[in-house]
Amino acid sequence: MRVDLGGIRMKNPVTVASGTFGYGAEYAKLVDVTRLGAITVKGIRLQPWSGNPLPRHVEVPGGMVNAIGLQGPGVEGFARDYMPFLRTTGVPVIVNIWGTSEEEYAEVARRLSEVEGVSGLELNISCPNVKEGGNAFGTDPRAVSSLVATVRRATRLPLMPKLAPNVPDIKLFVRAAQEAGADALALINTLPAMVIDIETRRPILANKVGGLSGPAIHPVAVKLVWEAAQVARVPLLAMGGIVGPDEAIEFLIAGASAVAVGTANFIDPTTPLRVLEGIEAYLRRHGMNSVAALTGSLCMTNPATNVEP
Amino acid sequence: MRVDLGGIRMKNPVTVASGTFGYGAEYAKLVDVTRLGAITVKGIRLQPWSGNPLPRHVEVPGGMVNAIGLQGPGVEGFARDYMPFLRTTGVPVIVNIWGTSEEEYAEVARRLSEVEGVSGLELNISCPNVKEGGNAFGTDPRAVSSLVATVRRATRLPLMPKLAPNVPDIKLFVRAAQEAGADALALINTLPAMVIDIETRRPILANKVGGLSGPAIHPVAVKLVWEAAQVARVPLLAMGGIVGPDEAIEFLIAGASAVAVGTANFIDPTTPLRVLEGIEAYLRRHGMNSVAALTGSLCMTNPATNVEP
Amino acid sequence: MMKDVTCRVIGQVPLTAGYWALDMEAPGLAEAAQPGQFVHVRVPGLEPIALRRPFSIFGAGGTTLKLLYKTVGRGTAQMNRLAPGDSVQVIGPLGNGFPLAPQGEPLLVAGGYGVAPLAFLAERLPTKGVVLIGGRTADDVLAVAAFERLGWIVRVATQDGSLGETGLVTVPLDRELARLREAGVTPELFSCGPDGLLRAVGERAIQAGCRGWLSLDKHMVCGVGACLACVQRLRREDGTEWIGRVCRDGPVFEAREIVW
Amino acid sequence: MMKDVTCRVIGQVPLTAGYWALDMEAPGLAEAAQPGQFVHVRVPGLEPIALRRPFSIFGAGGTTLKLLYKTVGRGTAQMNRLAPGDSVQVIGPLGNGFPLAPQGEPLLVAGGYGVAPLAFLAERLPTKGVVLIGGRTADDVLAVAAFERLGWIVRVATQDGSLGETGLVTVPLDRELARLREAGVTPELFSCGPDGLLRAVGERAIQAGCRGWLSLDKHMVCGVGACLACVQRLRREDGTEWIGRVCRDGPVFEAREIVW
Ligand SMILES: Cc1cc2nc3c(=O)[nH]c(=O)nc-3n(C[C@H](O)[C@H](O)[C@H](O)COP(=O)(O)OP(=O)(O)OC[C@H]3O[C@@H](n4cnc5c(N)ncnc54)[C@H](O)[C@@H]3O)c2cc1C
Ligand SMILES: Cc1cc2nc3c(=O)[nH]c(=O)nc-3n(C[C@H](O)[C@H](O)[C@H](O)COP(=O)(O)OP(=O)(O)OC[C@H]3O[C@@H](n4cnc5c(N)ncnc54)[C@H](O)[C@@H]3O)c2cc1C
Ligand SMILES: Cc1cc2nc3c(=O)[nH]c(=O)nc-3n(C[C@H](O)[C@H](O)[C@H](O)COP(=O)(O)O)c2cc1C
Ligand SMILES: Cc1cc2nc3c(=O)[nH]c(=O)nc-3n(C[C@H](O)[C@H](O)[C@H](O)COP(=O)(O)O)c2cc1C
Ligand code: FES
Ligand code: FES
């Protein structure tokens, strides 16, 4: 079940999605986090950041919309308060990072490179919930290229940009990121979304807009992962709407090397382990001896059918 | 309840989404279609078109993914076989049109301008299910601009481009379309999506990819409608995930002048009429005497709360 | 004339493993139902936006509508929970049924839950004949007693030999056809089942020079012809082809119409 | 120590209009429960991905976990259907409860379903005192008998005057505080209810120079501190501010900690 996610050596292909599993410690009493392939933590910028006002989330059919706004303790706070526990898990730690300028991203990467136990960086260039940083960087291939190149120079850690889903052609971004030195790619982040309270006629989220996650976005994510896989020369970490093994296996077949469980953690914290066991069972049942055998195994020829209209 | 949708005079703000209500006649035995604000028919190109092989749809959480592929009878077939019934309804008929070249779009528009009873054209530049035409036109503002200008020259009918949702900045497309002569704008079309059968490891849809519709996409649609309304000088027709009055009212508050019910027709064909009655009741309850009072009434200041983190 | 009716469940009974017979009060719908037509069911308990499920009409008498269904997925599994008094939204009757004035001696060929429309047909046809029922195992052979009660001769074939003769139902079909041919009787075939069976029945109808009415099972969305999810390439008498909507133009087609 | 437990419903009873008391077998969870802690309930029958709903622990004895809830939306409406024997996934006990060794004379102030944690607290506090219950109408006044059975003095205020005195619960609160002040007794306030009430109670605690324990009701997602949906700006003793997670660092805070 081993997977090498662009230098992040995972003992299995299942991690958690940034922002849905805190800093690993919060769920550790409910889930054996040492069984995860990696732990991906909430987005971190250089300094502590207070995020958006409340309400920060709203439930919608098929998922939720959130606008947490990347609240976090900053690099120092993270290293001091959360890394000690994370190191005890023995599991690779992927840190999701962001900034409001290329320099900030680079500086965060530089500092985290010196923190013991950090295994890789997920570059968040696709958060719909902050004005600067986030989605603005992620929706212009040149900006992605320039940002990834800058951060690349600042660290030797495996670098995994997390692409924005709200683009017409994800392939441009895959190429831009990998040519600029990305070791892996993560997708997808939440879809920009909005929910209005029709009685008050105000947006429910204090931030007005937020990001849609959960099963609602799964078919969109599969399409993007599959499309990305057409041109990706680096491994893909897929996420978006995984609630059990089936959605994860879809991602692997579409071309992902590993998967991350997000929103489902909130409802059933054992989801990542169920997904893991389900993938194992699937591989056994289909006589496959590695995740790699499943990755990108999508067969594009339809079976002979009488289905031509 | 009257609404002027860029020259399409609707007696109320509720229509049906193209492709989900056939050519009006199919549901006429179940629903009093004469009560609709307009009837929007399935996409039509110049010649008959056979669409995609089967399977053409798959059910997913929060909706469905379809890849019908714009099967249709062509302009002549439509005018001959379906317009006679539509004319008897006395309801404005909006024809959804497409082509594989600017010339084809223009020619379809030209011919439909001569068909009695056609009240407006919805320009489908955002269908994810056909190779040419559709989404390719809709994701490049220059292509949109050029196409709309060309079709504009071909017809005096109200022209309503239907924008693609999978773009980082919908405002560019709103501006491009209205500057090129659009009278109204429709959004959103389905989100590009894919579903894989994990046992056969094949895409479920014969077309491989399709479009996600239903409640799953509603918060995404609200965000895009709201954003479009920031720069739109023409009325907006909003759709995506309406299942009852509430989702429709959200769209109106976000800035739409009218709404279209899509996927929900398949589950409950009375949805458009329920939506209509719900909007009426809402206006009454809030002492508003026109739909226009609701359109764009979103209040962006949050109530004073203790919610700063 | 199709209607959107709120039906009340009268009751349902499990038949063989996985198969159920469901009776509902469907006033205004049941009276209009013809054999071969179907209904589109909004399964209570699925998410509000779950698609409707299509089922052939298994029987209709007075205001009672009868369905026979096999539990194959989440919708039918949910239907297992329906209890007397429950409300179910049903659209129907939909589509075009079987012709009820056959020109030949009726020979019915059912595969699995394909017996459903044929049992209703057997009830309404003016003449009785033979019905052939095929299934994988004995569990897939339904409604034998119902056909016999109506005076039909039933022959069963199962692939595993657990009921009737062993093998595909086309084996007794070919025997029946040979018998009728020898007797100089023109048969008229009526079939419902998986595509493979329908195709085989259709080929035999063409070969025998008789009419063969096939009820197609396509995944559906709207059920009324509005969405184009259920299309089938068809051939007109003049040989030109067109694309029909199984829900509206079918689900019953004559063997020669279908371009497989 | 929080646990993810499959609970079995023992039963539930409707209280006043819209309010229910729900008892479940929660082995491993109930034993550890402390007043002021809460549980995170996966409501059966909602879509699989519906968020969990947080509820204060209304009582815990042996392996039995008691909740008291008000029907306010689709989750709680669905909970009304829970029947004995049903399984419910529950995570808990979560958060930090009330201190159980008060320095002053306990004075409890409940608003609506805010009685839930206070009733559990009343059971576990070493000394009895007065509990003030406020509500819009008589229907919003719960658990009076339970408090009285435990030896607490109950005073009720309703906004419409349908039970107890008319007006906000802060009126009897001010009277109680005056009485205690005159008697030279330092009170210790414990409150749960809507933000407006908590704020009013907190202000009075600060004014009276006593401790005031407030249990906050914030919308939650994870319930364990992982998502940052439920944050609250807080003040340390040294005056510096920080952002706490109500689910993990609360839901109970001392009045002076909270930056409203
Ligand atoms: C005209 C017609 C008549 C039918 N009559 C009967 C009948 O009398 N008895 C009976 O048991 N079944 C009948 N079927 C098949 C029945 O519709 C499916 O078995 C049922 O929809 C499966 O639903 P599910 O949720 O249990 O399965 P799932 O596989 O969970 O369903 C997923 C989706 O696929 C569709 N689907 C799955 N299988 C089929 C299928 N075989 N045909 C059409 N759609 C399918 C469902 O409607 C749903 O949209 C008929 C189908 C058609 C088109
Ligand atoms: C720590 C804590 C303890 C609570 N204890 C109790 C209790 O003992 N008894 C009781 O009746 N209620 C209690 N509540 C409130 C209870 O959680 C909500 O009433 C319930 O979640 C409403 O769910 P719904 O689906 O019926 O409402 P909906 O409005 O349909 O819910 C929509 C979403 O909003 C959330 N939500 C709605 N209202 C609240 C609220 N007041 N607080 C938090 N989230 C909310 C829901 O959890 C859900 O995610 C408590 C809340 C918190 C945070
Ligand atoms: C509450 C919440 C917080 C999130 N925070 C972050 C974040 O800090 N950085 C980031 O890159 N993505 C963040 N995401 C996005 C997720 O990592 C993930 O990409 C997305 O939720 C899709 O997966 P899902 O559908 O399984 O939740 C967050 C998502 C949620 C729901
Ligand atoms: C089966 C189906 C067919 C569709 N056909 C068309 C079409 O021909 N032209 C078009 O512009 N949009 C088409 N659409 C998109 C809808 O008009 C609508 O934009 C979309 O479904 C979102 O609305 P909904 O969520 O309410 O369904 C189709 C959608 C569905 C589900
Ligand atoms: S199911 Fe919609 S056209 Fe047949
Ligand atoms: S609910 Fe997730 S941090 Fe409190």
Side-chain angles (χ1 to χ4, degrees), chain D residues 4-75:
Chain D
D4 187 353
V5 182
T6 306
C7 296
R8 196 155 283 280
V9 172
I10 299 169
Q12 64 174 343
V13 287
L15 306 171
T16 58
Y19 289 87
W20 295 72
L22 170 66
D23 287 8
M24 296 186 278
E25 272 304 323
L29 189 165
E31 300 91 317
Q34 295 293 322
Q37 288 187 304
F38 68 98
V39 293
H40 217 21
V41 175
R42 188 169 182 188
V43 181
L46 295 187
E47 326 79 275
I49 202 71
L51 296 177
R52 286 176 181 252
R53 268 59 177 165
F55 296 94
S56 298
I57 297 169
F58 174 46
T63 57
T64 302
L65 170 73
K66 290 165 182 295
L67 306 182
L68 177 155
Y69 70 92
K70 181 181 181 184
T71 310
V72 298
R74 59 192 208 96

Side-chain angles (χ1 to χ4, degrees), chain A residues 50-56 60-62 65 71 135 139 165-169 173 191-210 212 215-223 226 245-247 249-251 253-254 282 285-286 288 293-294 297-303 305 307-309, chain B residues 50-56 60-62 65 71 135 139 165-169 173 191-210 212 215-223 226 245-247 249-251 253-254 282 285-286 288 293-294 297-303 305 307-309:
Chain A
S50 60
N52 291 326
L54 268 57
R56 290 180 169 185
V60 294
V65 179
Q71 178 186 331
N135 211 289
T139 53
N166 54 325
V167 297
D169 186 358
F173 296 84
L191 294 178
M194 184 178 206
V195 183
I196 295 170
D197 181 327
I198 64 169
E199 292 307 320
T200 63
R201 291 200 279 278
R202 288 188 161 90
I204 290 188
L205 298 174
N207 188 55
K208 279 91 187 179
V209 301
L212 176 65
I217 69 171
H218 181 66
V220 173
V222 171
K223 153 77 159 55
W226 168 70
D246 292 4
E247 296 82 24
I249 293 166
E250 264 191 81
F251 278 136
I253 294 170
Y282 182 96
R285 189 152 47 83
H286 288 81
M288 295 174 149
L294 199 51
S297 61
L298 185 67
C299 175
M300 289 300 283
T301 59
N302 286 87
T305 51
V307 292
E308 285 286 335
Chain B
S50 61
N52 292 324
L54 268 57
R56 290 178 169 187
V60 295
V65 179
Q71 179 187 329
N135 211 288
T139 54
N166 55 325
V167 298
D169 187 358
F173 296 84
L191 293 176
M194 183 177 207
V195 183
I196 295 169
D197 180 328
I198 65 171
E199 292 307 320
T200 63
R201 291 199 279 279
R202 288 189 162 90
I204 290 186
L205 298 174
N207 188 54
K208 280 91 187 177
V209 301
L212 176 64
I217 69 171
H218 181 67
V220 173
V222 172
K223 154 76 159 55
W226 169 70
D246 291 5
E247 296 81 25
I249 293 166
E250 265 191 79
F251 278 135
I253 295 171
Y282 183 96
R285 189 152 48 83
H286 288 81
M288 294 172 152
L294 199 52
S297 62
L298 185 67
C299 174
M300 289 300 285
T301 59
N302 287 88
T305 52
V307 294
E308 285 286 335

Side-chain angles (χ1 to χ4, degrees), chain D residues 224-241:
Chain D
V224 302
C227 74
L228 307 177
C230 68
V231 295
Q232 172 65 45
R233 192 169 287 276
L234 299 167
R235 196 185 290 109
R236 295 195 189 80
E237 297 212 349
D238 66 8
T240 58
E241 292 189 359

Side-chain angles (χ1 to χ4, degrees), chain C residues 220-223 225-230 245 247:
Chain C
M220 290 179 178
V221 177
C222 69
C227 74
L228 307 177
C230 68
R245 305 167 220 178
C247 64

